[in-house]
Amino acid sequence: RIVWGLAQKVFLVVNHFTRVEQEYLAMLTNTASLATEQKEVVVVNNIRSVTSAADAKKVFDSHAPAHHAGFFGHQGELMFTCSSKEGAPQVQHIGICEEGTEAGSRFN
């Protein structure tokens, strides 16, 4: 709650978007829905271990719409926006890849 009160934007960097990370994001957005001031929440999906563009897209898509109730759509190949429930802040997911790889050259 303290972080939420002080921050203008909240960034959550995840490697595999595990259940624990999903629960932490849910806690953040639940706190946010109780707040009077809406904040921007950005989840940075660190997929730097994947070098192929096709594999990076598969990994990122595994984090995407099926896991979120309020899916709003893709803004790019490794970007989408969603919300967990009505009144909760929109969460932007962004994927980043290793520079110097096929995936990094295409998506970063």
Side-chain angles (χ1 to χ4, degrees):
R1 293 181 191 207
I2 293 172
V3 169
W4 192 261
L6 297 173
Q8 292 179 354
K9 294 183 182 185
V10 176
F11 287 85
L12 177 60
V13 179
V14 300
N15 290 318
H16 300 291
F17 206 47
T18 63
R19 184 83 172 152
V20 171
E21 292 164 332
Q22 292 173 27
E23 289 172 359
Y24 185 70
L25 178 61
M27 188 249 341
L28 281 175
T29 56
N30 285 337
T31 300
S33 62
L34 301 174
T36 55
E37 183 183 344
Q38 288 294 318
K39 310 280 182 165
E40 184 177 353
V41 179
V42 179
V43 176
V44 178
N45 294 269
N46 178 6
I47 49 179
R48 67 186 175 132
S49 62
V50 179
T51 58
S52 138
D55 288 345
K57 184 82 172 110
K58 284 181 198 173
V59 169
F60 186 77
D61 285 347
S62 73
H63 300 171
H67 301 288
H68 302 285
F71 176 66
F72 298 115
H74 285 276
Q75 289 80 40
E77 290 186 275
L78 294 188
M79 294 174 57
F80 70 89
T81 302
C82 63
S83 179
S84 59
K85 62 182 179 181
E86 190 173 329
Q90 291 184 3
V91 178
Q92 183 164 6
H93 287 255
I94 301 170
I96 57 171
C97 304
E98 183 75 33
E99 280 297 318
T101 66
E102 175 195 5
S105 297
R106 179 170 173 183
F107 299 123
N108 291 356

